[in-house]
Amino acid sequence: MAKVIAVNAGSSSLKFKLFDMPAEKVICSGLAEKIGHEDAIFSIKPAGKDKNETICAIKDHAVAVDMLLEALIEYDIVKSLDEIKGVGHRVVQGGEEFSHSEEITDKLERVIEELTPLAPLHNPANLVGYRAFKKALPKVKHVAVFDTAFHATMEPQDFMYPVPYEYYEKYKVRRYGFHGTSHLYLSQQGKVYLKDGQSRIITCHIGSGASLCAIKNGKCVATSMGLTPLPGVMMGTRTGDIDPSVITYMSKQTGKTCEDIYNELNKKSGVLGISGVSNDTRDVEKGALEGNERCKLAVQLFARRVADYIGQYYVRLGGCDLIVFSAGIGENSAYFRKEIIDQVSEALGVKLDTNSNNNTIRGKEGYISTFDSKIPVVVIPTDEEIVIARDTCSILKIK
Ligand code: ADP
């Protein structure tokens, strides 16, 4: 058995999971948060045991990686670091170059760096994580797993924007889509709910970031995020689709720069912007149930946007054999799921089973629709890390 680490490095965080492969057994998971701060938090949880948490200064990602590797030895999770045979890294933007995961070479590292203008917050953070692991484990090979790769099968009419053509030719302005690793996982897990000959799935990855994907025969045909993760459905703090004129209009009205407004569309909008209460749907759900009008509107707006995409993808796929809910809201909020399905039930004949909807939360998988629902609806907890570990093994030929 070989041990493989799946890594998701953000600008100030580093999430990891250690797997025994090919058994796909999680050995431990953990997280370094607030990297760069004096009161950073490092936590590690060996499978089946309690979480160990330390609050201390973590100067940078390299320090976080050293802490992780030391903790693996300290908690007797591995006897020697030589047991680690591969590290898989989430890389958010793979541009048009990558339709699959790839081993990270010096050349690939440069390509990921060159793609930074398309993902200024994410790709540099992903690279920082990679470099820290490479330094700490110089003999181990690394794999990049791109968030965009699963969407590489979209046709031009699904990925092009109707802007001057040279925007695309010179600057690669187009829809890329994100959360691809999650949508891929959901479509693979979703197969068990399909009957013979069925292959059309709509996956709803709705957490603080949210995107939908239309999948036919295991391949993505359309997805709701775009050049960046800003468009598509409404999210915790992002607008989703809006008229881009809002940027120039608001800039003229307020004297703020376009960059300032753009930041507000990313960080102060969505559920937070409408409710004025929180970006966390738990708070907004509570507010709505207590009669707060803006919380109610945030829920309705959120549900309407997701329902609109379900309708659009139903048409795009020529029908639908399965609807999948996943991520923070999709896996946990019976309330949001009902609000969404209520909006498509008349047109699509989808019916929720109240009991299963209320009980399929906190990591449970299964049907939430009734037997006579025209399209079955299921909840599948997503697992991007397992896809990263699988790809790392297959590319590095780890057995
Ligand atoms: P990320 O995009 O950061 O990976 P997640 O998929 O973990 O996000 O989703 C986190 C979000 O899920 C929270 O901000 C919250 O809005 C929502 N969420 C989590 N649990 C619940 C719940 N029980 N009810 C409603 N919403 C929830």
Side-chain angles (χ1 to χ4, degrees), residues 260-323:
D260 288 340
I261 306 290
Y262 176 70
N263 276 333
E264 289 181 349
L265 301 185
N266 262 300
K267 299 197 176 127
K268 300 232 161 95
S269 302
V271 174
L272 172 66
I274 293 295
S275 71
V277 168
S278 168
N279 65 331
D280 193 306
T281 39
R282 279 166 287 205
D283 305 329
V284 174
E285 185 173 321
K286 191 164 163 280
L289 292 169
E290 286 166 2
N292 179 314
E293 289 302 325
R294 278 177 54 186
C295 287
K296 277 196 220 166
L297 179 62
V299 174
Q300 287 161 353
L301 201 53
F302 188 98
R304 176 68 48 86
R305 294 305 184 88
V306 176
D308 283 350
Y309 265 96
I310 293 176
Q312 183 184 329
Y313 288 168
Y314 179 87
V315 173
R316 177 68 186 83
L317 290 168
C320 176
D321 305 311
L322 184 69
I323 296 173

Side-chain angles (χ1 to χ4, degrees), residues 37-313:
H37 291 79
E38 290 297 309
D39 58 344
I41 307 160
F42 178 84
S43 63
I44 184 159
K45 186 187 173 308
K49 294 193 185 146
D50 289 340
K51 182 162 97 172
N52 300 282
E53 196 171 275
T54 320
I55 298 180
C56 60
I58 303 181
K59 187 169 76 85
D60 54 25
H61 285 71
V63 174
V65 171
D66 287 341
M67 285 178 79
L68 155 65
L69 298 175
E70 275 162 30
L72 293 181
I73 302 278
E74 185 187 333
Y75 294 113
D76 219 11
I77 296 166
V78 297
K79 295 261 172 303
S80 145
L81 295 178
D82 292 341
E83 290 171 40
I84 299 165
K85 301 295 180 205
V87 184
H89 300 266
R90 175 188 185 209
V91 177
V92 166
Q93 180 54 275
E96 289 196 306
E97 282 85 350
F98 304 106
S99 55
H100 293 96
S101 304
E102 296 233 352
E103 183 180 342
I104 311 184
T105 56
D106 290 348
K107 185 167 164 250
L108 184 72
E109 191 181 338
R110 275 198 304 280
V111 175
I112 296 171
E113 193 148 33
E114 280 160 20
L115 288 165
T116 293
L118 284 172
L121 298 179
H122 292 101
N123 275 27
N126 302 150
L127 276 177
V128 165
Y130 159 68
R131 287 174 184 141
F133 270 98
K134 194 175 164 222
K135 196 167 152 228
L137 299 169
K139 285 185 279 178
V140 175
K141 290 189 170 170
H142 298 256
V143 168
V145 179
F146 301 99
D147 256 30
T148 46
F150 181 59
H151 305 305
T153 45
M154 282 188 286
E155 294 178 354
Q157 31 318 16
D158 290 299
F159 73 67
M160 286 298 288
Y161 290 137
V163 291
Y165 197 71
E166 62 266 28
Y167 285 19
Y168 172 63
E169 281 182 314
K170 281 198 198 146
Y171 303 104
K172 297 286 167 219
V173 169
R174 51 161 283 181
R175 179 192 300 279
Y176 291 98
F178 298 90
H179 291 144
T181 314
S182 174
H183 290 295
L184 166 68
Y185 176 81
L186 299 174
S187 68
Q188 287 172 342
Q189 288 292 109
K191 274 190 213 152
V192 299
Y193 300 96
L194 295 175
K195 299 199 183 91
D196 277 352
Q198 294 184 331
S199 75
R200 299 163 302 184
I201 309 181
I202 298 174
T203 46
C204 311
H205 175 114
I206 47 174
S208 58
S211 68
L212 272 73
C213 192
I215 300 163
K216 203 173 200 167
N217 297 322
K219 295 205 163 78
C220 164
V221 299
T223 192
S224 60
M225 282 179 167
L227 175 77
T228 71
L230 181 60
V233 296
M234 172 174 158
M235 305 176 214
T237 61
R238 298 186 195 125
T239 54
D241 298 334
I242 56 158
D243 180 347
S245 320
V246 169
I247 299 184
T248 44
Y249 174 75
M250 283 307 293
S251 168
K252 281 197 190 116
Q253 294 301 310
T254 61
K256 292 181 190 173
T257 63
C258 287
E259 193 73 23
D260 288 340
I261 306 290
Y262 176 70
N263 276 333
E264 289 181 349
L265 301 185
N266 262 300
K267 299 197 176 127
K268 300 232 161 95
S269 302
V271 174
L272 172 66
I274 293 295
S275 71
V277 168
S278 168
N279 65 331
D280 193 306
T281 39
R282 279 166 287 205
D283 305 329
V284 174
E285 185 173 321
K286 191 164 163 280
L289 292 169
E290 286 166 2
N292 179 314
E293 289 302 325
R294 278 177 54 186
C295 287
K296 277 196 220 166
L297 179 62
V299 174
Q300 287 161 353
L301 201 53
F302 188 98
R304 176 68 48 86
R305 294 305 184 88
V306 176
D308 283 350
Y309 265 96
I310 293 176
Q312 183 184 329
Y313 288 168

